Amino acid sequence: MNKYMKTLLAVCCLAAMAPLHAAAPVAKIEAMLARPQQLCGRFDQSKQLAGMKKALSSNGRFCVVAGKGVLWRTLQPFPNTLRLTRDEIVHFQGDRVAMRLDAKTEPVVKMINSVLFSLLGGDLAQLDTLFEVDGSIDGTTWQVALKARQPALAKAIGSIRLDGGAFVKNITISEASGDRTSIVFSAIETGPSSITAQEAALF
């Protein structure tokens, strides 16, 4: 299981399906976000483990397709691909399916995917029940801090920070263990031309 998959399994604890009764500026931040049908770009992920000087780094491409799911293609240091839909998570190694988790037999899959879609899309309405949501706006950019409400959750996931403008640009997950995962999104493109034929075929 790759490092990103482990991050997803940790983030699954964040699942929250209740509507957000947003106070300003959180509602204003949501209004600033673009919501294209297709969105693709580059990600650079850094995992800093407590007690280690050197961070573990990976990078690749991601695509979010409305109504279908998320494609996460790690290119470095080792190529592999995750396809996340509402019903399953599929982990590819080359053309081979290395792992498949189905929401019908693994209910946590639906939670993982819902939270991932919410984080990438800046959908704060999905994150309000288990987290205190606090945000600020500076011109055309914004920052959001998510702090776990429940002590048990806080022991697993300390806090999450998001920032961006029309799109989420950075996600930082600080775990209670002292580990920290930072994901930076760049080269973001939208529309049908943003996704390659190869990537579209994986949906």
Side-chain angles (χ1 to χ4, degrees):
M1 185 179 295
N2 65 18
K3 295 188 292 293
Y4 184 69
M5 190 65 194
K6 291 179 180 178
T7 299
L8 285 182
L9 292 175
V11 172
C12 75
C13 299
L14 311 179
M17 299 298 107
L20 174 70
H21 301 291
V26 173
K28 292 182 180 179
I29 292 172
E30 287 196 309
M32 292 169 66
L33 289 162
R35 303 197 184 273
Q37 291 297 302
Q38 292 102 0
L39 181 152
C40 295
R42 174 190 170 100
F43 73 85
D44 289 272
Q45 177 174 305
S46 176
K47 175 84 172 184
Q48 183 66 60
L49 301 175
M52 291 186 62
K53 293 183 178 180
K54 188 174 181 180
L56 304 173
S57 299
S58 61
N59 64 69
R61 268 180 60 83
F62 75 98
C63 289
V64 182
V65 180
K68 290 188 176 181
V70 175
L71 193 66
W72 193 270
R73 300 174 59 210
T74 300
L75 301 177
Q76 299 289 340
F78 305 108
N80 63 73
T81 299
L82 288 176
R83 183 187 68 205
L84 302 99
T85 65
R86 294 294 179 186
D87 299 320
E88 65 178 6
I89 296 175
V90 179
H91 179 202
F92 296 93
Q93 289 184 332
D95 295 330
R96 182 178 65 88
V97 175
M99 182 183 65
R100 185 188 300 270
L101 296 175
D102 193 298
K104 293 179 181 178
T105 55
E106 300 283 350
V108 73
V109 169
K110 186 169 289 187
M111 290 192 291
I112 292 172
N113 292 357
S114 294
V115 171
L116 178 63
F117 301 157
S118 300
L119 290 175
L120 290 176
D123 189 354
L124 305 179
Q126 301 296 318
L127 300 171
D128 182 56
T129 298
L130 298 183
F131 282 83
E132 297 175 7
V133 182
D134 186 28
S136 62
I137 298 173
D138 183 6
T140 59
T141 63
W142 52 265
Q143 291 186 338
V144 168
L146 305 175
K147 183 179 179 181
R149 296 180 184 275
Q150 302 173 7
L153 180 59
K155 288 181 180 180
I157 304 292
S159 64
I160 295 180
R161 296 188 66 86
L162 311 173
D163 67 73
F167 307 104
V168 176
K169 295 295 183 65
N170 300 281
I171 299 175
T172 301
I173 303 170
S174 299
E175 302 174 34
S177 64
D179 295 351
R180 185 175 67 177
T181 300
S182 298
I183 306 173
V184 179
F185 302 105
S186 60
I188 294 174
E189 298 180 13
T190 63
S193 63
S194 65
I195 186 169
T196 68
Q198 180 186 18
E199 289 165 343
L202 290 174
F203 285 104

